[in-house]
Amino acid sequence: MVRTGNVRHMAIPPLVAPGPELSSEQKARYARHILLPDVGVEGQRRLSNARVLVVGAGGLGSPALMYLAAAGVGTIGVVDDDVVDASNLQRQVVHGVADVGRPKTESAAETVAAINPLVTVVRHDVRLTSDNAMEILADYDVVLDGADNFPTRYLVNDACVMLGLPHVWGSIYRFDGQVSVWFAGYGPCYRCVFPDPPPPDAVPSCATGGVLGVLCAAVGSVQVAEAVKLVVGRGEPLVGRLLVHDALRQTWDALTVRADPDCPVCGQSPTVTSLVDYEQLCGLRGPATVGTADDAVGGPADPTAPVGEVSATELADLLARRERGEVHFELVDVREPGERDIVSIPGARAVHLDRFRSGEADSELVPGIPVIVHCKSGARSAEAARLLARGGRAGVANLSGGVLAWVRDVDPTQPTY
């Protein structure tokens, strides 16, 4: 539910009680905060006593972790099960070149300690799931959400509602960013405004669509400002407002958003009272049944059956056999042009996924021969393969793991992203 216009802001008391008296070292370090009438010594003591969890040590989590540390937040939790990749360094500034291959939580904790050794970092080297979210989040005062996927966003929202925690949310894509504070009881939750997840692959991720690196700093810093305001109990947090940033036009707009009384999580009669399967909620499914290379290239068309899959090494063998004239098939790349500029598989032709969705792709392919489709990791190409098969195309297969598997298993000289 999104509306524009004025909204009455409900006063939110400070989330955290003041901690112990500040030491001389703390007073010197946080002097510029202490000089602010709306922070002062008491506000800094609240920050020092606060526990803030950052979900994701990636694009948004990087600036958030660094500024939370600089602000003197006493305990900073970070949950992430990923490792640092070279493609992260364009925007994930909490990591450096020497950190490639390290767990992101480990790299982030080291950077935070270098910024401010007075704060404590708690590492959660796990993927946040319905099984562990309540236990992890319950130990914090505020959750700062830097997740890059919809299942985690809905999971974090529902857990925060059930625990009564404020959920400082941010989202980025290409040149656009959004920020809000979801806080049931004071304003809407995430599901009030975004009740239904988009269809799978309808919204490209930053990994496929790209993102302006510095946009992460713009949005992540706003998230930290909101977390600080909530902890010290000053100002008007972004509860009931959705801040929208366009970096190309360099504009910031605020939309009024309201709680939905029929929200299944925070409404008057909630129907979601425990965490659910968020992969299922967002329409994500497990991998299709894997077929052999022979089945995939030349098998009969069955519109109701899952398409076959080939591995990267199987594809390399098939391409070599095609070069010798032993087999005939088309290799099709369904990715965006910018993705192909980074890395490509020799011998593939480009046919965008949208052409499969519109039904135009089949007429562009050579009739009567099998087709193997690929994308970055296999999800988009699996959709393209299913659409072809349902249209009656014979011998359709998906490259399992996509171009990432090709680089890993066949041609490690090529870059990834």
Side-chain angles (χ1 to χ4, degrees):
M1 182 182 297
V2 179
R3 301 174 183 170
T4 59
N6 295 326
V7 62
R8 181 181 178 184
H9 295 281
M10 186 182 299
I12 300 177
L15 291 180
V16 181
E21 295 293 334
L22 300 179
S23 66
S24 296
E25 181 183 3
Q26 288 175 307
K27 288 180 180 179
R29 176 180 285 270
Y30 307 126
R32 299 302 186 275
H33 268 181
I34 294 171
L35 291 171
L36 295 171
D38 286 325
V39 179
V41 170
E42 182 179 291
Q44 192 60 51
R45 289 171 58 196
R46 294 184 192 277
L47 287 170
S48 298
N49 202 33
R51 302 178 63 87
V52 178
L53 177 68
V54 177
V55 178
L60 293 176
S62 288
L65 287 162
M66 296 167 75
Y67 272 104
L68 288 170
V73 170
T75 301
I76 302 171
V78 54
V79 54
D80 201 312
D81 69 338
D82 202 3
V83 298
V84 181
D85 183 81
S87 65
N88 301 150
L89 304 181
Q90 165 256 7
R91 65 202 178 282
Q92 299 182 16
V93 293
V94 78
H95 314 297
V97 173
D99 298 315
V100 171
R102 297 176 69 192
K104 286 187 176 180
T105 56
E106 181 181 293
S107 169
E110 189 173 286
T111 300
V112 166
I115 292 172
N116 189 350
L118 302 181
V119 306
T120 299
V121 180
V122 179
R123 291 172 50 190
H124 302 279
D125 301 326
V126 296
R127 178 176 292 275
L128 205 62
T129 68
S130 299
D131 294 329
N132 61 25
M134 295 292 281
E135 181 181 359
I136 292 174
L137 270 62
D139 202 29
Y140 294 91
D141 305 303
V142 183
V143 177
L144 195 151
D145 182 6
D148 62 357
N149 64 85
F150 288 100
T152 303
R153 291 170 183 167
Y154 282 91
L155 166 63
V156 171
N157 174 79
D158 293 1
C160 283
V161 171
M162 294 172 193
L163 292 168
L165 297 175
H167 172 194
V168 184
W169 168 79
S171 175
I172 52 174
Y173 178 63
R174 291 187 170 170
F175 295 91
D176 301 319
Q178 297 179 330
V179 193
S180 191
V181 175
W182 315 116
F183 200 177
Y186 293 97
C189 77
Y190 181 75
R191 284 225 216 183
C192 292
V193 181
F194 303 104
D196 301 309
D201 299 319
V203 181
S205 69
C206 293
T208 58
V211 62
L212 181 68
V214 73
L215 179 67
C216 302
V219 173
S221 63
V222 173
Q223 288 182 275
V224 175
E226 293 305 302
V228 168
K229 287 157 56 181
L230 287 165
V231 168
V232 302
R234 293 291 184 174
E236 294 183 359
L238 282 172
V239 175
R241 289 180 294 156
L242 177 64
L243 198 61
V244 180
H245 177 45
D246 182 337
L248 280 180
R249 295 191 303 125
Q250 205 55 259
T251 58
W252 292 86
D253 299 302
L255 303 176
T256 297
V257 290
R258 303 183 190 280
D260 180 359
D262 297 320
C263 175
V265 181
C266 74
Q268 296 174 353
S269 301
T271 57
V272 178
T273 56
S274 61
L275 300 183
V276 299
D277 183 337
Y278 291 89
E279 297 283 332
Q280 186 178 57
L281 174 72
C282 294
L284 302 179
R285 294 292 182 263
T289 302
V290 177
T292 66
D294 289 338
D295 292 336
V297 183
D302 180 358
T304 64
V307 297
E309 292 194 354
V310 297
S311 69
T313 53
E314 287 173 329
L315 175 60
D317 178 66
L318 287 167
L319 287 170
R321 291 171 60 192
R322 186 176 75 170
E323 184 72 18
R324 297 192 298 266
E326 297 173 2
V327 295
H328 299 283
F329 65 93
E330 281 213 74
L331 177 60
V332 178
D333 186 340
V334 305
R335 297 176 300 157
E336 301 286 339
E339 296 179 83
R340 295 195 298 273
D341 288 341
I342 298 172
V343 58
S344 61
I345 299 177
R349 61 175 296 191
V351 182
H352 194 274
L353 177 58
D354 288 343
R355 308 290 285 177
F356 291 85
R357 290 169 172 165
S358 68
E360 299 170 289
D362 190 52
S363 63
E364 299 176 15
L365 302 175
V366 177
I369 69 170
V371 177
I372 299 175
V373 289
H374 83 82
C375 61
K376 178 185 179 182
S377 60
R380 285 171 289 166
S381 53
E383 178 187 352
R386 287 193 297 268
L387 291 170
L388 276 182
R390 288 169 187 166
R393 187 87 181 197
V396 181
N398 180 38
L399 174 59
S400 178
V403 74
L404 295 180
W406 177 267
V407 174
R408 183 190 67 225
D409 299 334
V410 178
D411 187 4
T413 65
Q414 293 208 64
T416 57
Y417 61 102

